[in-house]
């Protein structure tokens, strides 16, 4: 098991995985709920291990955070995702945003603004095409410091979304204090919204609250037509989930963009 390795060893392992190009990014599309147009993608990291097969981020990101390898991994993710988005932007001439999930570590150590700045200048991606996804707990754990870091990030011209919204402590005061652009409704609410009145009520409330704070709403984990219909009816503007698109290769994203252009 990965967790049986001492910290030093797991740091070496993860750096080696990076050097050997065993880490990959897949991209899951996000769609405009009304038009069905793909408006962005979320970059999702995978470790393709030669013997162990696919190792999900939930297994190795905590190790990367403990061992310090997270720094190198985050730099790689930001630069790879920005390079890819720049390439789609040039070849398809359409404005597809790319979202990167930021770990608690990169936010805490105040490394994020410098890393993001470097990725943007190295790749030439227009900043408005980059979005960062953060979780509520990352912001609440250290709110004074987080506020400063988010302000520095916003100054670069990027967007900020709160991931898995509704499952953390939901201390709502940060929503208007921090420079946030969008909320992603956690998939657990989406999955139950057509089975449970209370989950539907939560989804409707999140959408109403987001709109009154002038935030956009993304629903994640949308798997059925019924979920899609309720989300549209309640004014959710962005849809992500297996119903409309699974995580896929950059080549597939590019060819979807080409198809859209020809239509
Ligand atoms: O919460 P976050 O956005 O970080 O999670 C992304 C993960 O969720 C990825 O592993 C992705 O494959 C998975 N995922 C994305 N859409 C769906 C979906 O519609 N259903 C399920 N079961 N998982 C999904
Ligand atoms: Mn996410």
């Amino acid at each position: 098991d990965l967790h049986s390795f001492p910290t030093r060893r797991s740091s070496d392992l993860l750096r080696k995985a990076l050097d050997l190009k065993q880490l990959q990014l897949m991209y899951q599309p996000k769609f405009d709920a009304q038009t069905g147009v793909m408006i962005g993608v979320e970059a999702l990291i995978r470790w393709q291990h030669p013997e162990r097969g696919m190792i999900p981020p939930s297994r190795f990101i905590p190790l990367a955070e403990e061992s310090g390898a997270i720094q190198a991994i985050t730099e790689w993710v930001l630069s790879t995702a920005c390079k890819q988005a720049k390439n789609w932007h040039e070849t398809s001439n359409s404005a597809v945003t790319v979202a990167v999930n930021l770990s608690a570590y990169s936010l805490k150590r105040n490394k994020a603004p410098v890393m993001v700045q470097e990725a943007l200048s190295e790749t030439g991606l227009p900043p408005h095409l980059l979005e960062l996804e953060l979780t509520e707990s990352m912001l609440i754990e250290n709110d004074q410091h987080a506020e400063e870091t988010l302000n520095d990030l916003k100054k670069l011209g990027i967007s900020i979304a709160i991931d898995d919204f509704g499952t953390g402590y939901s201390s709502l005061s940060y929503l208007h204090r921090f420079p946030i652009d969008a909320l992603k409704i956690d998939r657990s609410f989406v999955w139950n919204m057509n089975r449970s009145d209370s989950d539907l009520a939560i989804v409707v409330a999140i959408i109403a609250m987001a709109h009154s704070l002038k935030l956009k709403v993304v629903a994640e984990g949308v798997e059925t037509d019924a979920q899609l219909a309720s989300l549209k009816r309640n004014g959710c503007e962005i849809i992500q989930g297996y119903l409309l698109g699974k995580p896929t290769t950059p080549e597939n994203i590019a060819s979807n963009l080409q198809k859209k252009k020809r239509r």
Side-chain angles (χ1 to χ4, degrees):
D1 183 69
L2 285 171
H3 287 275
S4 58
F5 294 126
T7 304
R8 174 71 210 297
R9 172 107 168 81
S10 56
S11 170
D12 290 347
L13 260 178
L14 285 162
R15 284 170 213 278
K16 205 165 141 217
L18 199 53
D19 286 344
L20 295 174
K21 304 202 187 318
Q22 291 173 357
L23 299 186
Q24 301 170 346
L25 291 185
M26 298 287 269
Y27 297 88
Q28 184 175 30
K30 298 179 185 179
F31 300 87
D32 180 307
Q34 295 307 321
T35 64
V37 170
M38 178 169 72
I39 50 148
V41 298
E42 175 178 4
L44 297 166
I45 194 169
R46 304 257 187 284
W47 181 359
Q48 204 56 58
H49 193 282
E51 287 108 44
R52 295 158 192 263
M54 207 272 281
I55 305 175
S58 56
R59 298 277 315 283
F60 69 86
I61 294 296
L63 269 177
E65 296 207 311
E66 279 166 40
S67 69
I70 191 70
Q71 165 102 12
I73 292 175
T74 306
E75 281 165 7
W76 176 82
V77 171
L78 280 166
S79 116
T80 306
C82 289
K83 202 180 297 162
Q84 191 58 68
K86 165 83 173 171
N87 179 278
W88 291 322
H89 188 50
E90 279 176 346
T91 55
S92 74
N93 204 17
S94 54
V96 172
T97 62
V98 69
V100 168
N101 294 284
L102 216 58
S103 75
Y105 176 94
S106 339
L107 201 69
K108 251 187 237 150
R109 303 290 170 92
N110 208 9
K111 303 261 185 190
V114 172
M115 288 196 284
V116 169
Q117 167 68 66
E118 273 168 10
L120 290 171
S121 57
E122 163 201 323
T123 60
L125 180 71
H128 72 275
L129 296 181
L130 177 63
E131 182 168 39
L132 296 179
E133 295 191 6
L134 315 170
T135 62
E136 289 171 89
S137 54
M138 287 166 59
L139 301 181
I140 291 158
E141 270 163 29
N142 195 345
D143 73 341
Q144 184 57 45
H145 178 66
E147 188 174 352
E148 267 173 50
T149 307
L150 291 204
N151 285 329
D152 289 345
L153 285 168
K154 273 305 285 184
K155 282 186 209 135
L156 301 172
I158 64 161
S159 307
I160 296 171
I162 304 300
D163 211 353
D164 308 330
F165 186 77
T167 55
Y169 303 102
S170 296
S171 155
L172 298 176
S173 68
Y174 71 84
L175 284 182
H176 68 95
R177 256 193 314 126
F178 293 2
I180 292 163
D181 302 281
L183 299 183
K184 291 188 81 173
I185 305 174
D186 189 73
R187 59 173 65 79
S188 59
F189 303 118
V190 173
W191 286 344
N192 291 319
M193 67 186 289
N194 295 312
R195 286 196 286 260
S196 141
D197 287 345
S198 59
D199 285 274
L200 178 61
I202 290 170
V203 170
V204 172
I206 292 175
I207 295 172
M209 180 183 64
H211 287 168
S212 59
L213 292 167
K214 306 209 161 43
L215 306 176
K216 285 195 177 171
V217 188
V218 186
E220 62 174 25
V222 179
E223 293 185 348
T224 69
D225 286 313
Q227 290 161 359
L228 176 61
S230 317
L231 288 161
K232 280 170 76 169
R233 190 165 53 241
N234 287 291
C236 175
E237 45 275 275
I238 302 166
I239 302 292
Q240 186 181 9
Y242 291 176
L243 177 68
L244 300 180
K246 292 194 169 171
T248 185
T249 61
E251 293 75 22
N252 276 336
I253 299 289
S255 80
N256 288 347
L257 288 168
Q258 290 305 320
K259 275 183 222 145
K260 192 175 83 188
K261 210 167 72 177
R262 266 184 261 123
R263 258 194 263 126

